[in-house]
Amino acid sequence: MPLVSHIKISKNMSVLSLARQMEAAKVLGAGRFGKASRILGEMFRDKECTKFISLAGPLIPGGLRSVITDLVGGGYINGVVATGANVTHDILEALGHRHIVGSENADDVRLKRRGLSRIYDLYVTQRSIEELEKVTYHMLDRIPEEKRRDIGSHELLWEFGKQLKDKDSFVRTAQRRGASIFCPGIFDSMIGLHLWTYSRLHPFILNPLRDFSRLVDMTYERKRVGVIILGGGMPKHQVLIANTYRGGVDAAIQITLDRADGGGFSGAPLEEAISWGKVKSPNNLVTVVGDASVVFPVLAVAALQQSTAKPKGDRVR
Amino acid sequence: MPLVSHIKISKNMSVLSLARQMEAAKVLGAGRFGKASRILGEMFRDKECTKFISLAGPLIPGGLRSVITDLVGGGYINGVVATGANVTHDILEALGHRHIVGSENADDVRLKRRGLSRIYDLYVTQRSIEELEKVTYHMLDRIPEEKRRDIGSHELLWEFGKQLKDKDSFVRTAQRRGASIFCPGIFDSMIGLHLWTYSRLHPFILNPLRDFSRLVDMTYERKRVGVIILGGGMPKHQVLIANTYRGGVDAAIQITLDRADGGGFSGAPLEEAISWGKVKSPNNLVTVVGDASVVFPVLAVAALQQSTAKPKGDRVR
Amino acid sequence: MPLVSHIKISKNMSVLSLARQMEAAKVLGAGRFGKASRILGEMFRDKECTKFISLAGPLIPGGLRSVITDLVGGGYINGVVATGANVTHDILEALGHRHIVGSENADDVRLKRRGLSRIYDLYVTQRSIEELEKVTYHMLDRIPEEKRRDIGSHELLWEFGKQLKDKDSFVRTAQRRGASIFCPGIFDSMIGLHLWTYSRLHPFILNPLRDFSRLVDMTYERKRVGVIILGGGMPKHQVLIANTYRGGVDAAIQITLDRADGGGFSGAPLEEAISWGKVKSPNNLVTVVGDASVVFPVLAVAALQQSTAKPKGDRVR
Amino acid sequence: MPLVSHIKISKNMSVLSLARQMEAAKVLGAGRFGKASRILGEMFRDKECTKFISLAGPLIPGGLRSVITDLVGGGYINGVVATGANVTHDILEALGHRHIVGSENADDVRLKRRGLSRIYDLYVTQRSIEELEKVTYHMLDRIPEEKRRDIGSHELLWEFGKQLKDKDSFVRTAQRRGASIFCPGIFDSMIGLHLWTYSRLHPFILNPLRDFSRLVDMTYERKRVGVIILGGGMPKHQVLIANTYRGGVDAAIQITLDRADGGGFSGAPLEEAISWGKVKSPNNLVTVVGDASVVFPVLAVAALQQSTAKPKGDRVR
């Protein structure tokens, strides 16, 4: 029977050597973190693996926008499945708006009066959301009407990506790099409200089945598919279920604070998905219990350090 | 300053008097449970309040199907916003399939070989899901093609409800009672896979913007809107965001095990939604931390006992 | 394979029939709640079963004081293992102090200035804690010095119980009923600070090994031992570990929000304790994920209704 | 109002620069992690700050033994407050026993038959625990009887530390370095059972009030006190409450998966402790929601890299 090894830390150790030490522990959270870093590193190195990341929770407004953008820009990720909120906040920042550091104990009635909307401990101005309406309309107007009459979210965001100018936007960067962004619940967000009001005045039908077709196309005949799941929700499920046609994904890591015992899919262990054919085998699967905003940046750096590819400059890209 | 009162229990007390005792505690979980029972009782009694319930997590396969069906059938609920899985499993049971008691520690590779798919500690047969395909196709075929070319999930489920025969189905019961079911992520479920394959062969466009229009119509000019949120996910957000046009819902209770500090909307306190205009005021809002499958049945019985309406027979309906 | 049954609710159903409906579901939280209510009812009825309850978290200040007192007073519980805080707050109330309804978002710096100390959303006055010192000293003075030189927490609380006059105190009621209260971390609480300062001036040695001996005596030769675990912490572990000498407890239910995957004992499933000999077998074990202040009162009423013993008046006792 | 900055990652960044990037985000988990790394780094550098660490959960058996030992050995920590289990497993390893990599889904009845006891996904042999008895007795015999008649856990572990030979033991290393180990619930563990049986045969009184005196002595007149809280439980509370006499600790970080809304102290935010005088002010306080086995090693390396002290060789020490 294998034995637990104890993590050795040292002042000058790299993120990767720390992750390796944690992997050697083999048990509890540290062992899982270490295993996740190895799986992620292998995914990043594997050129024949199509890689997806799912984003739930306020990662984009909350500080991980560049991490996602740079991984997409560096070719480490081929598809993003995001909540509508993450897309909304990426575009808000692309338009020059910023998110404000606030407090989770704020008085929401007063915040509203001050024109601020809250996501846990960060704020966004209501004015920025109003401005988003005009820009959204404008971007929609520039999509050919025929296309607009039956469009998937990934096509819509491709069109938006073409029109955005901010290099730190993951929507823009994905379009430039040929990566796809799926937003199965795009209408369930602030930009979604603008899409809906637009649809009352102009021909516009958002068709989620087109997204599903594209997801299946992107995975069906690929040699390997790997998935990084940050938080749960519909993004997690959408990317996994689309892989049932190919017999499941080959590798997956998830980082979540949701718990399994409520029975919901967000907190479910990846092993459960094997019984549904969404995941191929128990190999190369791991759940790290934690806050993705804490755990993923560390994991990503460890994975990059594990990759043999030479870095091109100061940032990932 | 108000003081904590201690809960008195007695052998013959009713669910309602227990809930009232807990309300008097005023603090911690018990106080919140008590408050939720009062808000829910008031919602149920209020004929001018349009009531929604959002369902995330495996409530329908896991034992709460009749609770939901009976509340809809009894007129206590006017709209349901459910995950695709909850709709899938309602229809599976309507077709005569049952869910199997299993174990959360099962070996998923072996389950798959045995033709079983797992949701925490319950199983469903893969055969039943295959049979669902045929029935789904058949039900779709019976919808006029014109309607099928641009249909919202609530319209689709209305059509399905008409064709289902099981009185315990909430999809059927909602249709009979004139309640609407919204399934913003219907394609993100097993029945969704069948919808997608159907769409490859037949004219069929599922348009979520139609759902949003209906949700706004159902709330915009109503005197009062109340929401019961079981679990988080897109159902929670969809029902709240649609109420921004009327200035927010008037009352809401949520039961969830998701935590707030990850920042995601699933675990967010209802107060946060005030700053977004999704909820009107801090009055008549409460979060009960717990498993909805445990807490909601108790809460519902307490609320029914609080209602003056005479019960019609043994069950809610 | 057994099948999931759906919970039926009706307006006039009792707490017990609701619990029975939930038991029939068999799966998820509801199934576990139902199973817990059956195990608890059987424990309560079983006169040859020695019953313990462990208390962690602010149950006594937060509204469950009478529930515990009445169960002890009614003979349903033979031993209580509590945190120091639960003992402290019982005695505070016995001295006439009350707990104040507050807010979890309060400014703690201001609270401190106002002479209030906070436990989540309830407050206690610092003045009451100061007054506790005098009373504690006085109660200690009345214990014979010889006894005080080597005393276990259960003996100390027995002496305190004799001196308290409040019928709603579980410390007093346990003493009257011949039940024992163990407080393995009594010095880790406000009353503990007073015990410590007293020990600097007077002969006083608190010896936890005496508690352990008493716990073993209370369980070793008993026919059956059952345990109700509310929250985790040292009370949970203390009561279970003392049962290793008899081969483990026969039945146990636990209600907790702590999760298993951190590896700590507080959130560990009861099954894990089998491998340590703290629990006899997988039968009659169940964990309900939830807030004990919400779940336990409901469970207790269901268990009482299940018991054949006639109730004596309005309350449990 | 300050703005959210986005974390930039790069292939060759150090743990410290990653932590600095996360600090700049300022919000959500990442912001808290970054803040914690700064507070910890300042603690480590501050020679006039007395530093404590509290350990709950299976950190010592689960891979963090060397991390703790090396921090104590390097002089970064002056006092450890641990659960009995963490002390037990340190001594077990000091005697040459190892922990075994297992599975959280194991059958506990079979494990017990195989002579294995389980902690989540790791095992320990029952034989090693039996051997511990003999060694414990032997170590106790070598303590002068007079001392044994009234001894605190920190004095007992000092005596044990003197007798242990394993350099990787934190109990031994603390003794060598003049650091104190407190174990307020030592009798609530496997070694505690051995202490108890010993006490039935030999003069031995374990007096927790002596620990409290020592804790107060170690903090009362110190310039600054800083606390690192891993997990909750009695270790967390013990170290904080002892600081009320000096007006509270000056700095504290906690890493925990326990949630605040149950009201228990384990999951309580550090701010709540201000109202009790256990913490001085809202400055230099932060909670990181996460698994300590994942988060603490990363945090510790970032803090070491922040420290100006030169590292002495490969490991911390």
Side-chain angles (χ1 to χ4, degrees), chain B residues 28 32 75 85 95 133 136 161 202 210 213 280 311 315-316:
Chain B
L28 297 181
R32 283 161 176 71
L95 303 179
E133 186 183 69
T136 305
H202 305 87
R210 293 183 70 88
S213 298
K280 228 175 235 172
R315 285 167 60 180
V316 171

Side-chain angles (χ1 to χ4, degrees), chain D residues 51-94:
Chain D
K51 284 146 272 191
F52 288 87
I53 193 165
S54 78
L55 304 177
L59 298 172
I60 296 300
L64 267 69
R65 188 176 182 239
S66 295
V67 174
I68 304 303
T69 297
D70 290 354
L71 289 175
V72 169
Y76 295 99
I77 286 171
N78 310 104
V80 181
V81 188
T83 57
N86 277 310
V87 166
T88 295
H89 292 277
D90 181 73
I91 297 179
L92 279 176
E93 295 222 359

Side-chain angles (χ1 to χ4, degrees), chain D residues 108-167:
Chain D
D108 291 289
V109 175
R110 290 182 55 193
L111 281 187
K112 182 154 193 281
R113 271 193 222 122
R114 291 170 58 201
L116 296 172
S117 294
R118 180 168 75 87
I119 302 170
Y120 196 59
D121 62 352
L122 65 90
Y123 309 146
V124 65
T125 65
Q126 287 149 23
R127 200 175 52 80
S128 69
I129 291 168
E130 285 155 22
E131 283 181 30
L132 178 66
E133 186 182 67
K134 211 178 343 176
V135 177
T136 304
Y137 282 22
H138 184 72
M139 291 195 296
L140 283 163
D141 283 341
R142 293 179 62 186
I143 301 173
E145 189 180 311
E146 179 137 7
K147 199 175 257 184
R148 254 199 276 122
R149 285 184 180 279
D150 182 19
I151 195 167
S153 72
H154 73 282
E155 296 159 313
L156 181 73
L157 294 173
W158 183 267
E159 296 291 335
F160 285 3
K162 279 201 290 193
Q163 300 182 45
L164 294 172
K165 303 213 157 45
D166 176 16
K167 286 184 183 173

Side-chain angles (χ1 to χ4, degrees), chain B residues 38-261:
Chain B
R38 179 174 295 274
I39 293 174
L40 189 61
E42 285 167 3
M43 263 193 219
F44 279 0
R45 265 204 311 263
D46 183 352
K47 300 218 163 124
E48 293 185 309
C49 176
T50 302
K51 283 147 273 191
F52 288 87
I53 194 166
S54 78
L55 306 177
L59 298 171
I60 297 300
L64 267 68
R65 188 177 182 239
S66 295
V67 174
I68 304 303
T69 297
D70 290 355
L71 289 175
V72 169
Y76 295 98
I77 286 170
N78 309 105
V80 181
V81 188
T83 57
N86 277 310
V87 166
T88 295
H89 292 277
D90 182 73
I91 297 178
L92 279 176
E93 294 222 0
L95 303 179
H97 301 289
R98 293 287 294 276
H99 291 87
I100 298 162
V101 177
S103 162
E104 69 270 28
N105 295 321
D107 178 333
D108 292 289
V109 174
R110 290 182 54 192
L111 282 186
K112 181 154 195 281
R113 272 193 221 121
R114 291 170 57 201
L116 296 171
S117 293
R118 181 168 75 87
I119 302 171
Y120 195 59
D121 63 351
L122 66 89
Y123 309 147
V124 66
T125 64
Q126 286 149 23
R127 200 176 52 79
S128 68
I129 290 168
E130 285 155 23
E131 283 182 29
L132 179 65
E133 186 183 69
K134 212 179 340 176
V135 177
T136 305
Y137 282 21
H138 185 71
M139 292 195 295
L140 283 163
D141 282 340
R142 295 180 61 187
I143 301 174
E145 188 179 313
E146 179 137 8
K147 199 175 258 184
R148 256 200 274 123
R149 285 183 179 280
D150 182 18
I151 195 167
S153 72
H154 73 283
E155 296 159 313
L156 181 73
L157 293 174
W158 183 266
E159 295 292 336
F160 284 4
K162 278 202 292 193
Q163 300 182 47
L164 294 172
K165 304 215 155 46
D166 176 17
K167 287 184 182 173
D168 287 324
S169 160
F170 82 91
V171 173
R172 178 191 189 272
T173 302
Q175 191 273 336
R176 294 299 188 280
R177 284 289 313 205
S180 289
I181 301 180
F182 300 88
C183 191
I186 193 169
F187 51 94
D188 179 38
S189 63
M190 285 300 150
I191 201 167
L193 297 190
H194 303 329
L195 296 178
W196 174 71
T197 51
Y198 186 87
S199 79
R200 312 274 286 185
L201 306 164
H202 305 87
F204 178 52
I205 295 184
L206 195 62
N207 183 356
L209 296 165
R210 293 183 70 88
D211 289 318
F212 203 82
S213 298
R214 171 75 182 145
L215 263 177
V216 173
D217 285 351
M218 273 185 75
T219 54
Y220 188 60
E221 294 196 329
R222 297 304 158 96
K223 227 169 186 171
R224 280 182 291 282
V225 174
V227 182
I228 304 155
I229 299 163
L230 307 187
M234 198 151 127
K236 173 185 176 179
H237 199 215
Q238 191 68 17
V239 69
L240 289 180
I241 203 172
N243 279 279
T244 49
Y245 294 99
R246 70 186 301 281
V249 300
D250 299 276
I253 64 171
Q254 76 175 341
I255 308 172
T256 184
L257 281 170
D258 293 341
R259 44 195 298 167
D261 30 31

